[in-house]
Structures are given as structure tokens and as C-alpha cells.
Amino acid sequence: MKANSFTTHTPTTIVIVGGGFSGSLVATHLLKTASQPLIIKLIERSPQIGKGIAYSTDTNCHLLNVSAGNMSAFAHDPGHLMRWLQYNHNELAAFFSEEVNASSFIPGSIQFWNIYHFWENVKGNNPVRSLTMNQEKQERIKACLQELSTLLYEEADKSKLTDLEGIEKTVRSQILELVSPEIALFLSNKKLEQK
């Protein structure tokens, strides 16, 4: 009997042409709900995944046509966007003139960053990731990240922090240059201690 592709551990390759908002959201859903190994090939001509035409604006007056409380990219989780907005409130405060609530209409670029962050969390070798850390540890990490963010901000080129793209590039470069190597060294040392 020939093995069914759904029962083997050979990854299934799926190609998605167009890595704008819809394409990246399809990829995110596939990876999040995968019950077998997947290889997603997302083909996009622009350098950034997830924006597409609809979310490529950096103008804050280009608002979504649905209020934040009625919008979610995940049918099973209607509160996802609101939770993400609340969790990232401090980082997003510059983009809102007033407190964001369920009836707020948010800029399209903010919804892009919501999906972008979610996409970054689900892609990779482990297609389904869930946060199993307890609340106390999450709060400790958040406090440490606030302190780290303050230090990194002091060293950042402020002229590049005028829009979300500049902020994202600055964060990425700082993380790659300063943070990731330290975490990798720490984890490598822990692995050596186990031997």
C-alpha cells in the first residue's frame, strides 16, 4: 500500500503567489493549523511580506473600514486584534490621537504590523507555536524588554524613527546586532553545561 502524503512525515510544499496581506494571511493560517510538516514558499516582488497594496500606506489617516473590535484575521479568535493593540499600546501610542477601544478605526498600517508580528511568530521549523509561559514570567520579560527598549532607543538614530518601516528596520538591526548574539551565547553555554 502506498503511503498517503498526509500520513508521512515528508513536508508538503505549498507555493503562494503574492505575499501581500492576503497571501501572508493564508500562509499564516496554513502554518498555524498544520497537522504535518509544511514548507511554505511565499512569492512576493516587494521586499516586505504582508503589506500588499492595501496596507502599504504609512499615512495614519488611511483607516480600516471596520472597527478594531469587529476585526480579526482569525475567525476562532475575534479578540485577537484588540488584545494585540492593548499589548503593544506603548509602542503604538504615537499612531493614535486617543485611547484605542473596540469602536476605534485604526490605520491600515497598524493592521499590517499585527499580521506581520503574528507571521514572524508562526513561520519557521515549528509551525504551531503557543505561549505556555506563566503570567509572572511574561510580566518579568515585559519589564526587562521595557528597560532594554529604553537603552536601545538612546542609541538609535532618531531620524529613522519617523514611520513604522523605519522603526521596524531599526528594531531588526538592533536585535540582530546586540540582542540575538547574547541570547545565542547564553543558550549555547546552557547546552554545554548539560553535557
Side-chain angles (χ1 to χ4, degrees), residues 133-151:
M133 191 179 297
N134 69 38
Q135 185 69 30
E136 180 184 339
K137 287 183 180 177
Q138 288 179 41
E139 292 300 321
R140 285 176 54 200
I141 286 177
K142 193 169 183 178
C144 290
L145 287 174
Q146 287 294 331
E147 185 176 343
L148 177 63
S149 297
T150 300
L151 294 171

Side-chain angles (χ1 to χ4, degrees), residues 76-90:
H76 66 281
D77 187 4
H80 175 261
L81 177 60
M82 281 305 303
R83 280 195 319 280
W84 183 83
L85 288 168
Q86 290 164 353
Y87 183 80
N88 293 286
H89 172 72
N90 292 338

Side-chain angles (χ1 to χ4, degrees), residues 61-180:
C61 65
H62 294 171
L63 303 178
L64 298 175
N65 60 355
V66 176
S67 64
N70 291 324
M71 177 170 276
S72 176
F74 310 103
H76 66 281
D77 187 4
H80 175 261
L81 177 60
M82 281 305 303
R83 280 195 319 280
W84 183 83
L85 288 168
Q86 290 164 353
Y87 183 80
N88 293 286
H89 172 72
N90 292 338
E91 292 81 3
L92 299 172
F95 299 96
F96 301 108
S97 58
E98 55 189 47
E99 185 70 27
V100 176
N101 59 48
S103 62
S104 300
F105 288 83
I106 64 170
S109 57
I110 300 297
Q111 173 65 339
F112 157 72
W113 287 106
N114 171 33
I115 297 306
Y116 177 81
H117 289 136
F118 195 82
W119 163 251
E120 288 295 314
N121 286 331
V122 298
K123 73 179 184 176
N125 294 331
N126 184 5
V128 181
R129 296 182 186 181
S130 60
L131 188 59
T132 57
M133 191 179 297
N134 69 38
Q135 185 69 30
E136 180 184 339
K137 287 183 180 177
Q138 288 179 41
E139 292 300 321
R140 285 176 54 200
I141 286 177
K142 193 169 183 178
C144 290
L145 287 174
Q146 287 294 331
E147 185 176 343
L148 177 63
S149 297
T150 300
L151 294 171
L152 293 176
Y153 177 77
E154 291 170 1
E155 299 301 315
D157 179 353
K158 310 303 186 287
S159 68
K160 295 182 179 177
L161 303 178
T162 58
D163 59 21
L164 284 175
E165 185 174 357
I167 292 169
E168 191 271 332
K169 286 180 180 178
T170 300
V171 168
R172 184 178 299 266
S173 68
Q174 288 181 329
I175 295 296
L176 289 174
E177 182 182 342
L178 301 169
V179 179
S180 294

